[in-house]
Amino acid sequence: MSDSASYDPNADTVIYAVSEGIATITMDRPGYHNAQNGKMTYELDAAFRRAVADDEVKVIVLAGNGKHFSAGHDIGTPGRDVHLSQERAGMWYDHANKPGGEFLYVREAEAYLGMCRRWREIPKPTIAAVQGACIAGGLMLAWVCDLIVATDDAFFSDPVVRMGIPGVEYFAHPFEMPPRIAKEFLFTGDKMSAERAYQVGMVNRLSTRETLHDDVKALAAKIATQPRLGLALTKQAVNHVEDLQGKRTGMDAAFAWHHFSHAHNDLVTGDKLSGFDAKKMAKHNRAGDKS
Ligand code: ZN
Protein backbone atom coordinates (compact mmCIF):
# COMPACT_ATOMS: atom_id res chain seq x y z
CA MET A 1 0.00 0.00 0.00
CA SER A 2 1.49 3.34 -1.03
CA ASP A 3 1.61 6.13 1.50
CA SER A 4 0.75 9.79 1.20
CA ALA A 5 4.44 10.78 1.00
CA SER A 6 4.81 9.05 -2.38
CA TYR A 7 1.37 9.97 -3.69
CA ASP A 8 1.33 11.85 -7.01
CA PRO A 9 -2.03 13.62 -7.50
CA ASN A 10 -1.28 14.19 -11.20
CA ALA A 11 -0.51 10.58 -12.12
CA ASP A 12 -2.89 8.99 -14.64
CA THR A 13 -5.32 6.57 -13.05
CA VAL A 14 -6.37 4.77 -16.22
CA ILE A 15 -4.41 3.06 -19.03
CA TYR A 16 -5.97 2.99 -22.50
CA ALA A 17 -4.87 0.59 -25.23
CA VAL A 18 -6.36 -0.68 -28.50
CA SER A 19 -5.39 -3.90 -30.24
CA GLU A 20 -7.18 -5.86 -32.95
CA GLY A 21 -10.48 -4.05 -32.51
CA ILE A 22 -10.51 -4.39 -28.72
CA ALA A 23 -10.05 -1.38 -26.45
CA THR A 24 -8.75 -2.25 -23.02
CA ILE A 25 -9.33 0.30 -20.27
CA THR A 26 -7.29 -0.56 -17.19
CA MET A 27 -7.75 1.07 -13.81
CA ASP A 28 -4.26 1.86 -12.61
CA ARG A 29 -4.13 2.62 -8.90
CA PRO A 30 -2.79 -0.80 -7.84
CA GLY A 31 -1.18 0.64 -4.70
CA TYR A 32 -4.70 1.50 -3.51
CA HIS A 33 -6.39 -1.59 -4.94
CA ASN A 34 -7.83 0.64 -7.68
CA ALA A 35 -9.96 2.63 -5.25
CA GLN A 36 -12.08 4.87 -7.46
CA ASN A 37 -11.55 8.57 -6.74
CA GLY A 38 -13.08 11.42 -8.73
CA LYS A 39 -10.04 11.64 -10.97
CA MET A 40 -10.36 7.99 -11.93
CA THR A 41 -14.11 8.31 -12.48
CA TYR A 42 -13.64 11.10 -15.01
CA GLU A 43 -10.66 9.41 -16.65
CA LEU A 44 -12.75 6.25 -17.05
CA ASP A 45 -15.48 8.33 -18.64
CA ALA A 46 -12.99 9.88 -21.07
CA ALA A 47 -11.57 6.45 -21.94
CA PHE A 48 -15.05 5.03 -22.60
CA ARG A 49 -15.84 8.03 -24.83
CA ARG A 50 -12.62 7.50 -26.75
CA ALA A 51 -13.43 3.82 -27.32
CA VAL A 52 -16.97 4.62 -28.45
CA ALA A 53 -15.74 7.27 -30.89
CA ASP A 54 -13.10 5.00 -32.47
CA ASP A 55 -14.68 3.06 -35.35
CA GLU A 56 -11.85 0.52 -35.13
CA VAL A 57 -13.02 -0.49 -31.66
CA LYS A 58 -15.68 -3.20 -31.64
CA VAL A 59 -15.49 -4.39 -28.02
CA ILE A 60 -14.38 -2.68 -24.80
CA VAL A 61 -12.70 -4.47 -21.90
CA LEU A 62 -12.58 -2.95 -18.40
CA ALA A 63 -9.78 -4.32 -16.24
CA GLY A 64 -7.92 -3.50 -13.03
CA ASN A 65 -4.15 -3.45 -12.68
CA GLY A 66 -2.65 -5.37 -9.75
CA LYS A 67 -3.93 -7.77 -7.16
CA HIS A 68 -7.54 -6.54 -7.14
CA PHE A 69 -10.09 -5.33 -9.68
CA SER A 70 -11.43 -2.59 -7.37
CA ALA A 71 -11.74 -1.97 -3.66
CA GLY A 72 -14.60 0.45 -4.37
CA HIS A 73 -15.03 4.18 -4.06
CA ASP A 74 -12.09 6.00 -2.57
CA ILE A 75 -12.97 6.64 1.07
CA GLY A 76 -9.49 6.77 2.51
CA THR A 77 -6.46 7.16 0.20
CA PRO A 78 -4.35 10.33 -0.07
CA GLY A 79 -6.01 10.82 -3.48
CA ARG A 80 -9.51 11.04 -2.08
CA ASP A 81 -10.94 14.06 -3.89
CA VAL A 82 -14.68 14.06 -3.21
CA HIS A 83 -14.41 17.73 -2.17
CA LEU A 84 -12.99 18.87 -5.52
CA SER A 85 -14.85 20.31 -8.50
CA GLN A 86 -14.61 18.28 -11.70
CA GLU A 87 -15.09 19.05 -15.38
CA ARG A 88 -18.54 17.54 -15.33
CA ALA A 89 -19.64 15.00 -17.93
CA GLY A 90 -23.41 15.18 -17.30
CA MET A 91 -25.84 18.07 -16.91
CA TRP A 92 -25.41 18.59 -13.16
CA TYR A 93 -24.02 21.75 -11.57
CA ASP A 94 -20.92 21.74 -9.40
CA HIS A 95 -21.31 19.94 -6.05
CA ALA A 96 -18.15 21.16 -4.36
CA ASN A 97 -19.45 24.40 -2.85
CA LYS A 98 -22.93 23.15 -1.91
CA PRO A 99 -24.28 22.74 1.66
CA GLY A 100 -25.98 19.90 3.52
CA GLY A 101 -27.40 16.98 1.60
CA GLU A 102 -27.04 18.83 -1.70
CA PHE A 103 -23.25 18.30 -1.77
CA LEU A 104 -23.28 14.52 -1.93
CA TYR A 105 -26.61 14.16 -3.76
CA VAL A 106 -25.38 16.26 -6.68
CA ARG A 107 -21.96 14.62 -6.66
CA GLU A 108 -23.34 11.08 -6.69
CA ALA A 109 -26.10 11.87 -9.19
CA GLU A 110 -23.38 13.06 -11.57
CA ALA A 111 -20.41 10.81 -10.84
CA TYR A 112 -22.00 7.56 -9.70
CA LEU A 113 -25.59 7.04 -10.83
CA GLY A 114 -25.38 9.26 -13.91
CA MET A 115 -21.98 8.05 -15.04
CA CYS A 116 -22.78 4.37 -14.45
CA ARG A 117 -26.02 4.61 -16.38
CA ARG A 118 -24.21 6.20 -19.30
CA TRP A 119 -21.54 3.51 -19.26
CA ARG A 120 -24.21 0.81 -19.19
CA GLU A 121 -25.65 2.35 -22.35
CA ILE A 122 -22.36 2.44 -24.29
CA PRO A 123 -23.40 1.20 -27.75
CA LYS A 124 -20.59 -1.37 -27.93
CA PRO A 125 -20.22 -4.61 -25.96
CA THR A 126 -18.25 -4.23 -22.74
CA ILE A 127 -16.56 -6.98 -20.72
CA ALA A 128 -15.29 -6.68 -17.14
CA ALA A 129 -12.18 -8.73 -16.34
CA VAL A 130 -12.31 -9.21 -12.58
CA GLN A 131 -9.60 -10.58 -10.28
CA GLY A 132 -9.42 -10.43 -6.49
CA ALA A 133 -11.63 -7.91 -4.74
CA CYS A 134 -14.66 -6.33 -6.36
CA ILE A 135 -16.20 -4.36 -3.50
CA ALA A 136 -19.07 -1.84 -3.35
CA GLY A 137 -18.14 0.88 -5.89
CA GLY A 138 -16.17 -1.84 -7.70
CA LEU A 139 -19.41 -3.76 -8.19
CA MET A 140 -20.85 -0.78 -10.04
CA LEU A 141 -17.97 -0.84 -12.50
CA ALA A 142 -18.31 -4.58 -13.16
CA TRP A 143 -22.12 -4.42 -13.28
CA VAL A 144 -22.31 -1.71 -15.94
CA CYS A 145 -20.42 -4.06 -18.25
CA ASP A 146 -22.39 -6.46 -20.44
CA LEU A 147 -20.34 -9.52 -19.55
CA ILE A 148 -18.19 -10.40 -16.55
CA VAL A 149 -15.28 -12.85 -16.58
CA ALA A 150 -13.85 -13.50 -13.11
CA THR A 151 -10.86 -15.38 -11.77
CA ASP A 152 -11.54 -18.27 -9.43
CA ASP A 153 -10.15 -16.21 -6.53
CA ALA A 154 -12.31 -13.16 -7.25
CA PHE A 155 -14.96 -12.13 -4.75
CA PHE A 156 -17.81 -9.64 -4.66
CA SER A 157 -19.29 -7.75 -1.72
CA ASP A 158 -21.34 -4.72 -0.84
CA PRO A 159 -20.71 -4.02 2.86
CA VAL A 160 -22.23 -0.52 2.99
CA VAL A 161 -25.25 -1.60 5.05
CA ARG A 162 -22.69 -1.41 7.88
CA MET A 163 -22.81 2.36 7.33
CA GLY A 164 -26.61 2.26 7.51
CA ILE A 165 -26.77 2.69 3.72
CA PRO A 166 -28.99 0.39 1.61
CA GLY A 167 -26.39 -0.66 -0.99
CA VAL A 168 -24.23 1.24 -3.46
CA GLU A 169 -25.59 4.07 -5.60
CA TYR A 170 -26.05 1.99 -8.75
CA PHE A 171 -28.64 -0.32 -7.20
CA ALA A 172 -28.60 -3.25 -9.62
CA HIS A 173 -28.43 -5.92 -6.92
CA PRO A 174 -31.88 -7.51 -7.55
CA PHE A 175 -31.03 -7.71 -11.26
CA GLU A 176 -27.54 -9.09 -10.83
CA MET A 177 -28.78 -11.91 -8.58
CA PRO A 178 -32.15 -13.27 -7.47
CA PRO A 179 -33.82 -10.87 -4.96
CA ARG A 180 -33.57 -13.29 -2.02
CA ILE A 181 -29.86 -13.74 -2.69
CA ALA A 182 -29.50 -9.95 -3.05
CA LYS A 183 -31.01 -9.51 0.42
CA GLU A 184 -28.58 -12.04 1.90
CA PHE A 185 -25.68 -10.38 0.04
CA LEU A 186 -26.63 -6.97 1.49
CA PHE A 187 -27.88 -8.01 4.96
CA THR A 188 -24.68 -9.95 5.73
CA GLY A 189 -22.16 -7.92 3.71
CA ASP A 190 -20.41 -11.27 3.17
CA LYS A 191 -18.04 -11.92 0.30
CA MET A 192 -19.62 -13.81 -2.57
CA SER A 193 -17.13 -16.13 -4.26
CA ALA A 194 -16.65 -16.09 -8.03
CA GLU A 195 -18.08 -19.62 -8.14
CA ARG A 196 -21.26 -18.50 -6.34
CA ALA A 197 -21.48 -15.39 -8.53
CA TYR A 198 -21.27 -17.67 -11.54
CA GLN A 199 -24.06 -19.88 -10.15
CA VAL A 200 -26.43 -16.94 -9.63
CA GLY A 201 -25.74 -15.58 -13.12
CA MET A 202 -23.74 -12.48 -12.21
CA VAL A 203 -20.57 -13.86 -13.80
CA ASN A 204 -20.53 -15.26 -17.33
CA ARG A 205 -17.31 -17.23 -17.20
CA LEU A 206 -14.76 -18.32 -14.64
CA SER A 207 -11.07 -18.06 -15.32
CA THR A 208 -7.79 -17.99 -13.39
CA ARG A 209 -5.15 -15.35 -12.70
CA GLU A 210 -2.96 -17.03 -15.32
CA THR A 211 -5.64 -17.22 -18.04
CA LEU A 212 -7.83 -14.15 -17.40
CA HIS A 213 -6.20 -11.94 -20.01
CA ASP A 214 -6.30 -14.60 -22.75
CA ASP A 215 -9.82 -15.77 -21.91
CA VAL A 216 -11.20 -12.23 -22.05
CA LYS A 217 -9.31 -11.50 -25.24
CA ALA A 218 -10.69 -14.65 -26.91
CA LEU A 219 -14.25 -13.78 -25.87
CA ALA A 220 -13.87 -10.18 -27.06
CA ALA A 221 -12.34 -11.32 -30.36
CA LYS A 222 -15.24 -13.65 -31.00
CA ILE A 223 -17.80 -10.89 -30.33
CA ALA A 224 -15.78 -8.46 -32.47
CA THR A 225 -16.54 -10.57 -35.58
CA GLN A 226 -20.23 -9.58 -35.32
CA PRO A 227 -21.58 -6.51 -37.14
CA ARG A 228 -21.33 -3.28 -35.14
CA LEU A 229 -24.97 -2.24 -35.48
CA GLY A 230 -26.21 -5.76 -34.71
CA LEU A 231 -24.29 -5.66 -31.44
CA ALA A 232 -25.49 -2.14 -30.58
CA LEU A 233 -29.14 -2.96 -31.22
CA THR A 234 -28.95 -6.27 -29.37
CA LYS A 235 -27.51 -4.50 -26.36
CA GLN A 236 -30.23 -1.85 -26.48
CA ALA A 237 -32.92 -4.52 -26.73
CA VAL A 238 -31.73 -6.42 -23.64
CA ASN A 239 -31.16 -3.24 -21.64
CA HIS A 240 -34.63 -2.03 -22.63
CA VAL A 241 -36.23 -5.23 -21.34
CA GLU A 242 -34.37 -4.82 -18.04
CA ASP A 243 -35.71 -1.28 -17.79
CA LEU A 244 -39.24 -2.50 -18.54
CA GLN A 245 -38.72 -4.91 -15.64
CA GLY A 246 -38.03 -1.91 -13.43
CA LYS A 247 -34.26 -1.61 -13.36
CA ARG A 248 -34.19 2.12 -14.04
CA THR A 249 -37.15 3.17 -11.90
CA GLY A 250 -36.05 0.83 -9.09
CA MET A 251 -32.66 2.49 -9.11
CA ASP A 252 -34.24 5.95 -8.92
CA ALA A 253 -36.10 4.96 -5.73
CA ALA A 254 -33.04 3.24 -4.23
CA PHE A 255 -30.94 6.35 -4.93
CA ALA A 256 -33.39 8.47 -2.94
CA TRP A 257 -33.28 6.01 -0.01
CA HIS A 258 -29.50 5.92 -0.33
CA HIS A 259 -29.43 9.70 0.12
CA PHE A 260 -31.90 9.69 2.97
CA SER A 261 -29.37 7.47 4.76
CA HIS A 262 -26.42 9.78 3.93
CA ALA A 263 -28.43 12.71 5.34
CA HIS A 264 -29.54 10.69 8.39
CA ASN A 265 -25.93 9.67 9.10
CA ASP A 266 -24.88 13.30 8.90
CA LEU A 267 -27.61 14.38 11.32
CA VAL A 268 -26.91 11.64 13.85
CA THR A 269 -23.11 11.23 13.64
CA GLY A 270 -21.92 14.34 11.80
CA ASP A 271 -20.58 12.18 8.97
CA LYS A 272 -22.37 11.07 5.81
CA LEU A 273 -20.67 7.65 5.98
CA SER A 274 -21.46 7.29 9.69
CA GLY A 275 -17.79 7.68 10.59
CA PHE A 276 -16.55 4.81 8.43
CA ASP A 277 -13.40 5.08 6.38
CA ALA A 278 -11.66 2.28 4.47
CA LYS A 279 -9.74 1.09 7.54
CA LYS A 280 -12.76 0.94 9.81
CA MET A 281 -14.82 -0.83 7.14
CA ALA A 282 -12.09 -3.44 6.65
CA LYS A 283 -11.87 -4.01 10.42
CA HIS A 284 -15.63 -4.52 10.75
CA ASN A 285 -15.75 -6.75 7.68
CA ARG A 286 -12.97 -8.93 9.10
CA ALA A 287 -14.84 -9.21 12.39
CA GLY A 288 -18.01 -10.07 10.49
CA ASP A 289 -16.23 -12.82 8.59
CA LYS A 290 -15.43 -14.57 11.83
CA SER A 291 -18.94 -14.57 13.22
ZN1 ZN B 1 -23.43 7.43 -1.59
Side-chain angles (χ1 to χ4, degrees), residues 94-150:
D94 190 9
H95 74 288
N97 59 351
K98 301 301 182 292
E102 189 177 14
F103 170 88
L104 206 55
Y105 185 87
V106 170
R107 204 262 175 174
E108 296 193 344
E110 150 83 7
Y112 293 160
L113 186 60
M115 209 83 93
C116 282
R117 277 178 165 168
R118 229 177 38 257
W119 297 341
R120 171 184 177 245
E121 290 165 7
I122 285 170
K124 296 182 179 182
T126 52
I127 305 174
V130 178
Q131 82 282 12
C134 181
I135 303 172
L139 291 172
M140 296 166 48
L141 296 172
W143 286 352
V144 297
C145 292
D146 299 310
L147 307 178
I148 300 176
V149 180

Side-chain angles (χ1 to χ4, degrees), residues 12-14 25 27 35-50 81-82 84-96 103 106-116 118-119 141:
D12 287 343
T13 62
V14 168
I25 297 168
M27 293 178 276
Q36 183 192 339
N37 60 2
K39 183 168 164 47
M40 181 190 278
T41 305
Y42 285 83
E43 287 183 5
L44 282 172
D45 194 64
F48 279 130
R49 272 179 192 280
R50 189 171 164 188
D81 54 5
V82 64
L84 298 181
S85 299
Q86 300 282 350
E87 195 64 44
R88 290 171 301 286
M91 206 51 93
W92 271 102
Y93 49 77
D94 190 9
H95 74 288
F103 170 88
V106 170
R107 204 262 175 174
E108 296 193 344
E110 150 83 7
Y112 293 160
L113 186 60
M115 209 83 93
C116 282
R118 229 177 38 257
W119 297 341
L141 296 172

Side-chain angles (χ1 to χ4, degrees), residues 158 160-161 165-171 173 186 258:
D158 187 351
V160 306
V161 175
I165 298 172
V168 288
E169 293 82 6
Y170 182 82
F171 193 82
H173 310 61
L186 284 161
H258 180 101

Side-chain angles (χ1 to χ4, degrees), residues 13-270:
T13 62
V14 168
I15 300 166
Y16 182 85
V18 177
S19 172
E20 298 170 43
I22 302 162
T24 302
I25 297 168
T26 305
M27 293 178 276
D28 191 30
R29 298 187 78 204
Y32 303 108
H33 308 320
N34 295 320
Q36 183 192 339
N37 60 2
K39 183 168 164 47
M40 181 190 278
T41 305
Y42 285 83
E43 287 183 5
L44 282 172
D45 194 64
F48 279 130
R49 272 179 192 280
R50 189 171 164 188
V52 170
D54 184 350
D55 283 344
E56 298 301 313
V57 170
K58 296 287 294 289
V59 179
I60 302 166
V61 172
L62 177 63
N65 190 13
K67 198 173 167 199
H68 300 289
F69 177 77
S70 173
H73 295 144
D74 188 342
I75 58 171
T77 86
R80 189 177 189 210
D81 54 5
V82 64
H83 58 291
L84 298 181
S85 299
Q86 300 282 350
E87 195 64 44
R88 290 171 301 286
M91 206 51 93
W92 271 102
Y93 49 77
D94 190 9
H95 74 288
N97 59 351
K98 301 301 182 292
E102 189 177 14
F103 170 88
L104 206 55
Y105 185 87
V106 170
R107 204 262 175 174
E108 296 193 344
E110 150 83 7
Y112 293 160
L113 186 60
M115 209 83 93
C116 282
R117 277 178 165 168
R118 229 177 38 257
W119 297 341
R120 171 184 177 245
E121 290 165 7
I122 285 170
K124 296 182 179 182
T126 52
I127 305 174
V130 178
Q131 82 282 12
C134 181
I135 303 172
L139 291 172
M140 296 166 48
L141 296 172
W143 286 352
V144 297
C145 292
D146 299 310
L147 307 178
I148 300 176
V149 180
T151 59
D152 49 9
D153 66 350
F155 67 87
F156 303 83
S157 75
D158 187 351
V160 306
V161 175
R162 181 80 57 198
M163 301 170 169
I165 298 172
V168 288
E169 293 82 6
Y170 182 82
F171 193 82
H173 310 61
F175 285 84
E176 296 292 342
M177 58 193 93
R180 200 178 299 282
I181 305 296
K183 287 176 184 167
E184 180 187 351
F185 184 70
L186 284 161
F187 289 173
T188 65
D190 283 350
K191 295 173 183 172
M192 178 183 280
S193 68
E195 174 66 32
R196 178 72 167 144
Y198 176 74
Q199 287 168 1
V200 302
M202 189 210 298
V203 162
N204 292 84
R205 297 188 184 184
L206 293 174
S207 184
T208 66
R209 293 255 173 183
E210 292 71 39
T211 56
L212 181 64
H213 177 77
D214 289 346
D215 286 347
V216 169
K217 193 176 167 196
L219 180 58
K222 183 168 193 178
I223 294 168
T225 64
Q226 301 276 28
R228 177 173 52 230
L229 183 61
L231 290 169
L233 297 180
T234 302
K235 176 165 179 170
Q236 278 195 310
V238 176
N239 283 1
H240 182 66
V241 169
E242 281 191 305
D243 288 342
L244 289 174
Q245 291 168 337
K247 191 172 192 178
R248 189 176 182 88
T249 49
M251 244 181 230
D252 283 333
F255 189 68
W257 289 315
H258 180 101
H259 274 276
F260 169 68
S261 66
H262 276 313
H264 174 76
N265 283 344
D266 213 358
L267 285 167
V268 173
T269 70

